[in-house]
Amino acid sequence: MDVEMRKVKFSEYFKNRIKDIPFAVMCALYMAFCVGCMIYSAVELGARDALLAVVYMIFIPAVFVFEYLIGFRVGYILTVLIIFSACGGLLGSSYNIYMILPWFDSLLHAVSGILFFAAGFMLAEVFFGKDNVNKHFFGKLAFAIFFSTTVGAIELNDITQTVITYDGGKEEWVINGGYMDLGLYDTLNDLLIAAAGTVSIAIVSIISFYKFPKFNKMFIPELVNNRRKPIE
């Protein structure tokens, strides 16, 4: 017998979602971090950096809206990675952390590969469905890897579409006035690091599939119905 469903309002979904204490605490800490950056930037750095901190605050409301509209629930591990990536972007843009910690940029690109993998797996959930999880896991895994690497290929394609000319008589090639080894090589390195992040998380997901299923549950977005619930 079919169960009659009713529509769940966003306010009702939001109240239920923040009852998840670990998730709510992580979101609150991130918002506090952004507020602190906004106040510090307004006093010490200027309006541009203060406004940037306000823009980064949108990440958390966007997660709630995304979950509600798309029908997914973001796990704890993925939430940590999203927040870490957002904090890193803000610190890099306003506080020059890439000069202080040169390896931090590489770390963020590795995390981006992991996040794109998660996004690909989420899309695969939509295409393959949630039924027969064991049967479809490796199909979703392959799609996630393909999606993540394709995003990187698109970025590389954007660069190769720029005009490349030989700098008359010199031994350097230039792209729109900038030296290739300063732009293209750096981008290629970033893409390789992101790909390494994708491959690493794919291996971890395979191991977790057999040995530690809880990890995948906390990392891979779960397909749920946030906008419908049975009528009681």
Side-chain angles (χ1 to χ4, degrees):
M1 182 177 66
D2 294 335
V3 178
E4 190 174 359
M5 308 289 283
R6 70 175 179 84
K7 184 176 180 180
V8 175
K9 294 182 179 179
F10 179 79
S11 58
E12 182 181 354
Y13 149 76
F14 180 78
K15 290 177 182 178
N16 289 329
R17 190 65 172 105
I18 59 176
K19 290 179 181 178
D20 185 341
I21 301 301
F23 177 78
V25 168
M26 286 187 282
C27 292
L29 289 174
Y30 173 74
M31 294 296 285
F33 170 79
C34 290
V35 171
C37 288
M38 179 190 66
I39 295 172
Y40 177 81
S41 297
V43 175
E44 298 290 340
L45 300 180
R48 177 260 183 192
D49 294 298
L51 180 60
L52 190 62
V54 174
V55 171
Y56 270 89
M57 287 185 197
I58 299 174
F59 272 69
I60 294 303
V63 169
F64 286 107
V65 173
F66 176 83
E67 281 193 341
Y68 177 73
L69 294 178
I70 306 301
F72 280 87
R73 179 164 295 231
V74 177
Y76 296 145
I77 294 176
L78 186 57
T79 301
V80 170
L81 292 174
I82 292 172
I83 290 176
F84 175 80
S85 182
C87 289
L90 179 55
L91 290 173
S93 300
S94 297
Y95 303 98
N96 205 23
I97 194 173
Y98 302 138
M99 297 297 294
I100 301 172
L101 302 173
W103 49 266
F104 194 75
D105 180 58
S106 297
L107 178 60
L108 284 182
H109 279 92
V111 172
S112 73
I114 296 173
L115 294 179
F116 284 129
F117 173 87
F121 210 102
M122 180 190 67
L123 290 175
E125 284 266 304
V126 175
F127 297 145
F128 288 94
K130 193 175 179 180
D131 297 334
N132 298 323
V133 175
N134 293 341
K135 180 180 179 181
H136 292 156
F137 174 79
F138 288 98
K140 296 174 185 177
L141 184 82
F143 182 88
I145 295 173
F146 171 78
F147 176 83
S148 182
T149 53
T150 300
V151 171
I154 291 173
E155 181 181 349
L156 180 60
N157 181 67
D158 289 340
I159 292 175
T160 56
Q161 291 300 317
T162 59
V163 178
I164 302 178
T165 58
Y166 190 64
D167 191 9
K170 296 182 180 180
E171 295 183 357
E172 297 93 348
W173 290 80
V174 296
I175 303 178
N176 289 348
Y179 289 105
M180 179 185 284
D181 58 349
L182 298 179
L184 184 57
Y185 288 172
D186 182 65
T187 300
L188 288 171
N189 182 65
D190 292 341
L191 292 177
L192 287 174
I193 293 172
T198 297
V199 172
S200 298
I201 194 61
I203 293 172
V204 171
S205 296
I206 292 172
I207 296 173
S208 300
F209 179 73
Y210 290 107
K211 300 292 184 180
F212 311 105
K214 279 189 176 181
F215 175 87
N216 283 348
K217 185 174 180 62
M218 290 188 293
F219 170 68
I220 296 172
E222 181 185 4
L223 181 62
V224 296
N225 192 342
N226 289 319
R227 292 186 289 170
R228 291 283 187 272
K229 66 182 300 186
I231 295 178
E232 298 177 355

